[in-house]
Amino acid sequence: MSAGLKKSSSNGCEKLLTSEEQQAKINEVRRLIGPLPDKLAIYCSDASISRYLRARNWNIKKATKMLKGTLKWRAEYKPEEIRWEEIACEGETGKICRTNFIDKHGRTVLVMRPSCQNTKSTKGQIRYLVYCMENAILNLPAEQEQMVWLIDFHGFNLSHISVKVTKETAHVLQDHYPERLGVAILYNPPKFFEPFYTLVKPFLEPKTYNKVKFVYADDLNTMKIMEDLFNIDQLESAFGGKDTSGFDFNKYAERMREDDKRMPSLWSSQSLPLAIPQPTLTSITASKPVNLDSDSITASKPVNLDSDSDASDDNKLDGSNSHGIYAKVVSSDNDSSPADGGHNGPSNIHQDEIVSLDGKA
């Protein structure tokens, strides 16, 4: 047994994975995915595959199917090619924006204001969300792979509720950005939000809704969460901080245009933030062209991203129970969130659910 043990827990059950066991699973997923073009190959780094495995309790077959789905989605949707000018109209009100500061754990912060919704197109709103997710990842420090969502409910009313958009948001977050969300803070949600949260909760996987924290300005216990996560001098006054500058669309647009210039270099240098060093891949050789829809790639064996039939027998590498139980590898990042107190959010949610959105976010 290696000294590099990683502990996973779910529903009170624990299992230990050695570094060697984790690497074996990562290598097997990479083998099952097969050769890919350079852009998509970035998503088969050790760190990326590890996120998909963690999201699926280190189940190789499920993680491979999930990663194939993302690779197919990225080949078709091309999120890395979205530019500010294309979606600027969605960002005029600051309904989603990346702050110019990080939290105390080095995570980028996305502020969301549902009451500032300014468009009716679900497609456009989701495309803007994807752009913001890509931008947040672009700005992650090298040692960090998760972000924070700060959701401001000021001015929120029933007209801002959309089950369709919420469902699509959960789908994008959980299926295509697993383990990217460290914590989602719902700040001052109104009482009528509780039944809506109950309605959409089935769309969220356990590892996602366990990362939701309810914070109320009139509750010192929950406000301590903000103090523990953020530098109050940098935090916007809307969230109890001291920064009163507010959202300036023109300044924000300039920041996004500058970030857009950096995006191509991210792909050419393959410098996405990695939590696990990526080994040199010498076992993959290219010999036969493979058609991934409209994208031409080369591979020694046809790769079908629509099928999970080539997944290996997980029992060969995974002796754990994977029947719908989601285990979380404990890291300093995941342990950094403070415990909640005071308000418990919706009354049907147990306090232990409101402790740590990621998932398969």
Side-chain angles (χ1 to χ4, degrees), residues 49-215:
I49 293 175
S50 176
R51 286 194 295 272
Y52 284 81
L53 281 165
R54 298 199 312 267
R56 289 295 179 257
N57 194 29
W58 293 91
N59 182 292
I60 293 173
K61 183 175 181 179
K62 292 180 179 179
T64 302
K65 181 178 180 180
M66 186 185 189
L67 180 53
K68 282 183 176 181
T70 293
L71 293 172
K72 185 175 186 294
W73 173 76
R74 295 197 73 94
E76 297 171 348
Y77 200 83
K78 296 178 170 52
E80 75 284 353
E81 295 182 10
I82 303 174
R83 294 294 179 264
W84 173 253
E85 301 304 332
E86 176 187 343
I87 44 77
C89 62
E90 294 283 347
E92 289 177 353
T93 61
K95 63 185 179 185
I96 307 178
C97 61
R98 179 178 59 81
T99 66
N100 56 8
F101 62 88
I102 56 179
D103 79 344
K104 291 182 179 180
H105 307 290
R107 297 177 291 195
T108 50
V109 180
L110 286 182
V111 168
M112 302 181 177
R113 295 181 171 89
S115 66
C116 292
Q117 183 57 260
N118 62 329
T119 62
K120 297 184 181 299
S121 168
T122 299
K123 181 179 179 180
Q125 292 168 19
I126 295 301
R127 193 158 182 82
Y128 182 56
L129 171 68
V130 169
Y131 173 83
C132 293
M133 292 291 293
E134 294 288 313
N135 181 268
I137 293 170
L138 173 69
N139 286 279
L140 283 170
E143 71 279 2
Q144 185 56 262
E145 59 180 359
Q146 292 189 321
M147 67 188 72
V148 176
W149 284 10
L150 264 177
I151 306 174
D152 181 10
F153 280 88
H154 177 74
F156 185 81
N157 58 49
L158 291 172
S159 68
H160 300 124
I161 290 179
S162 171
V163 175
K164 182 178 181 181
V165 172
T166 301
K167 185 177 180 180
E168 284 297 313
T169 297
H171 165 66
V172 168
L173 178 69
Q174 295 176 151
D175 291 358
H176 302 314
Y177 295 96
E179 300 295 324
R180 283 299 193 183
L181 186 60
V183 59
I185 295 176
L186 308 188
Y187 192 82
N188 280 340
K191 195 70 175 177
F192 65 80
F193 179 76
E194 296 181 12
F196 173 70
Y197 187 80
T198 301
L199 178 65
V200 301
K201 187 178 175 182
F203 301 142
L204 306 178
E205 296 172 344
K207 290 188 71 176
T208 299
Y209 66 66
N210 282 341
K211 294 186 176 183
V212 177
K213 293 180 180 292
F214 289 81
V215 175

Side-chain angles (χ1 to χ4, degrees), residues 28-29 31-32 59-61 64 308-317:
E28 179 63 6
V29 170
R31 184 190 70 80
L32 292 171
N59 182 292
I60 293 173
K61 183 175 181 179
T64 302
D308 63 340
S309 60
D310 59 346
S312 69
D313 181 0
D314 244 7
N315 292 330
K316 295 178 181 178
L317 292 174

